[in-house]
Amino acid sequence: MSVNTGESIGGRRGAALAVVMFFTLVMSILASALYALYRSNVNSYIYTRNGNAAGYCAEAGARLAVHHLSENTFFPTATRPSFLPGATQEGRIDLPWENGSALVVIDPRNNVENVNAIRGVQIRSRGFYLDAGSDVSVTYAPDYPSRYALLVDREIPPGFFTDGTVVDGPVHCNGDIHFGSVTPDSSDDPFVAEVSTTPLGGFVFSDAGRSGVPHPPGSRTWVRPYTRHRGGAPSWNPSAPVVDFRRLGNYFAGLGMTAHGMGTFIVGAKRIILDGNTMKIKTAETGPVSVLELGRDKNLVFVANGAMPVYIKSGRPTTIPLTIVTTGNVYISGNIYGETAGNSGPLALVSLGDIVVASDPSYSGEHDWSAPWDIQTEGNLEVRAYLAAPSGVLRSQSVLYPGIPVHMVLAGGLLEKRMGRLGTAMSGYRLVIRYDNGLGRVMPPHFPILENWIMMSWTEDPDYGGRSIQDDMY
């Protein structure tokens, strides 16, 4: 029989206490490790959250800059970097969520010798959220009306894009664009280098109805180049932004003040001959000839003709960039010769009314002015210019003349509110658009830009090479 003594009981109690202290120490270490892990995860989450938020702030700042640029109808004239309107002295703007801001710099491209060349901008935006920062650098270029071989507001109706039609340049219409073909294969189907419409319009095929693809199942029409178009935007784009034609018309109407300052505001002109870089003007058949010398500082002519048409044609080719704006209808009374945009042009003819191909009086027997002021539209017509009628159409004075089908070759591009009639199946003109590829880089003098800007590149966290974000780097 054993007897518990005080020493044995104390020993057991000491051992138990040691075990409890050991497990307490282990749990304390585990708790400290878990707490450290928790703190690390929280800090990592906060760092990631703040960094992502700063990135969103930077993107928001860049998009605000694009919105600011889109509100103007002209490209920034300065080449030095600038801040957004309403920014602080340091260039920061507050964003509509708490603790978010952005420093935004708009840097237009330098070293562009041709004043009519298309210049892009580099938008550098540094976003801030609490203690985090993030940068983006984005390059944008403005879209502009003269980039398009054909730009129409209302509709491109059936019968234009059909067998044999070739437009080797960009085409856009806010409304429906109709395609058709009667041939079973695609060899002669309509060709358009780049085509876009908007959600307000659509692509319509004569034998298949509306379709979002360049060859609907069962259709005879294959819009060429089919392999490029089936890849989608930008070659084939059914959801492009709407072009505001009213905005364009208002812009051109406002150029009268600019012409006043140049001394090129003309009133009462009835007939105009572009003879080289000289504009010859008559206000009456038996009246004197006025001469306006054109040049780099006189590259815009504004003709206030109101309800009376003004007739225009060329003698010698015009060899400088030139824009002519008429407040009323302008009648093309003969061939018009401008240089290409890739050479020493372009020439642009803008009407705030309609652009009309005059009927040669030799068909109707009506009186005409004596040469060289007479109308010469009895055969094929060549127009080497960009034609724009933002609130009107390009049409014939009479679709019955000439009495057989002839061609109007437009070497440049065309902008019109809606497409007008130039002829019938048996008479008048067939419009042939030969796009001036130089218009993809150069616009006519004093032309506007569109509200739609095109993103060319996007770089996150760019390396500025030790320079300040505010430096002139583009």
Side-chain angles (χ1 to χ4, degrees):
M1 178 175 180
S2 62
V3 179
N4 290 329
T5 65
E7 288 186 9
S8 62
I9 294 174
R12 288 195 295 271
R13 287 178 178 174
L17 181 59
V19 170
V20 170
M21 290 182 66
F22 173 77
F23 279 105
T24 300
L25 178 61
V26 170
M27 294 303 293
S28 176
I29 293 172
L30 288 175
S32 297
L34 289 173
Y35 179 72
L37 180 62
Y38 167 77
R39 284 294 303 272
S40 176
N41 287 339
V42 168
N43 290 337
S44 176
Y45 164 77
I46 292 174
Y47 178 82
T48 302
R49 181 202 64 183
N50 292 355
N52 289 339
Y56 295 145
C57 291
E59 293 180 16
R63 297 190 186 280
L64 280 174
V66 175
H67 175 73
H68 164 67
L69 292 168
S70 71
E71 292 181 322
N72 297 314
T73 52
F74 54 87
F75 191 86
T77 55
T79 59
R80 293 290 303 169
S82 62
F83 296 133
L84 278 176
T88 65
Q89 188 174 1
E90 295 77 24
R92 282 207 195 194
I93 55 171
D94 291 327
L95 297 174
W97 55 82
E98 188 177 0
N99 299 317
S101 64
L103 189 161
V104 184
V105 176
I106 300 175
D107 188 359
R109 184 180 176 186
N110 302 334
N111 303 323
V112 179
E113 296 181 1
N114 189 337
V115 295
N116 300 311
I118 305 305
R119 290 193 296 142
V121 296
Q122 187 180 81
I123 299 171
R124 298 188 289 273
S125 180
R126 178 166 294 162
F128 301 95
Y129 184 81
L130 296 176
D131 60 345
S134 180
D135 280 21
V136 295
S137 176
V138 195
T139 304
Y140 275 89
D143 200 6
Y144 49 99
S146 55
R147 180 178 78 89
Y148 293 90
L150 179 62
L151 180 59
V152 183
D153 185 21
R154 298 282 178 83
E155 178 187 44
I156 298 179
F160 181 79
F161 277 120
T162 186
D163 292 320
T165 301
V166 175
V167 180
D168 195 11
V171 172
H172 174 84
C173 181
N174 289 334
D176 291 341
I177 301 178
H178 292 261
F179 295 101
S181 171
V182 296
T183 58
D185 62 8
S186 63
S187 60
D188 201 36
D189 282 12
F191 181 104
V192 54
E194 176 185 320
V195 62
S196 61
T197 183
T198 72
L200 301 177
F203 298 120
V204 184
F205 290 78
S206 59
D207 56 358
R210 294 186 177 275
S211 175
V213 296
H215 171 63
S219 173
R220 292 187 301 270
T221 305
W222 301 69
V223 182
R224 298 182 296 146
Y226 172 72
T227 53
R228 187 194 305 167
H229 288 323
R230 70 179 180 180
S235 178
W236 179 271
N237 188 356
S239 58
V242 172
V243 174
D244 189 342
F245 274 66
R246 178 176 295 181
R247 184 177 189 244
L248 292 175
N250 291 338
Y251 172 85
F252 285 117
L255 288 179
M257 294 299 294
T258 305
H260 261 298
M262 292 182 178
T264 55
F265 189 96
I266 298 174
V267 179
K270 295 293 188 298
R271 298 207 176 183
I272 293 174
I273 296 177
L274 288 172
D275 191 21
N277 300 335
T278 299
M279 178 177 283
K280 297 179 179 179
I281 306 160
K282 267 198 171 190
T283 59
E285 182 178 359
T286 58
V289 178
S290 299
V291 175
L292 177 63
E293 296 295 338
L294 306 169
R296 187 174 223 177
D297 58 341
K298 292 187 176 182
N299 56 8
L300 168 68
V301 178
F302 195 91
V303 182
N305 60 314
M308 298 299 296
V310 57
Y311 291 75
I312 187 169
K313 67 177 183 179
S314 283
R316 294 173 297 168
T318 300
T319 59
I320 59 170
L322 176 65
T323 295
I324 302 170
V325 181
T326 68
T327 60
N329 292 347
V330 59
Y331 279 54
I332 296 174
S333 57
N335 294 327
I336 295 179
Y337 302 124
E339 292 288 351
T340 62
N343 191 2
S344 55
L347 169 65
L349 183 57
V350 181
S351 172
L352 301 181
D354 290 345
I355 300 174
V356 184
V357 179
S359 295
D360 197 302
S362 62
Y363 294 114
S364 61
E366 296 178 359
H367 173 73
D368 195 4
W369 291 19
S370 58
W373 302 93
D374 56 329
I375 298 171
Q376 297 176 305
T377 56
E378 66 275 13
N380 292 328
L381 192 64
E382 183 179 7
V383 177
R384 299 206 298 258
Y386 190 87
L387 302 182
S391 57
V393 302
L394 170 65
R395 60 180 174 87
S396 285
Q397 184 178 0
S398 172
V399 296
L400 300 179
Y401 305 123
I404 59 172
V406 295
H407 291 97
M408 176 182 175
V409 178
L410 176 57
L414 173 63
L415 178 158
E416 54 186 335
K417 181 75 173 177
R418 57 183 176 83
M419 297 193 73
R421 292 188 67 194
L422 287 168
T424 70
M426 303 298 295
S427 63
Y429 293 93
R430 304 288 182 272
L431 178 62
V432 177
I433 299 176
R434 292 181 181 166
Y435 179 59
D436 178 1
N437 286 290
L439 292 170
R441 301 179 299 276
V442 178
M443 67 171 66
H446 305 279
F447 253 57
I449 60 175
L450 298 177
E451 55 271 38
N452 311 314
W453 284 67
I454 302 170
M455 189 199 317
M456 312 302 291
S457 68
W458 180 288
T459 306
E460 295 185 5
D461 295 323
D463 182 7
Y464 296 136
R467 290 174 294 179
S468 168
I469 191 174
Q470 303 174 33
D471 288 346
D472 191 351
M473 291 188 259
Y474 186 59

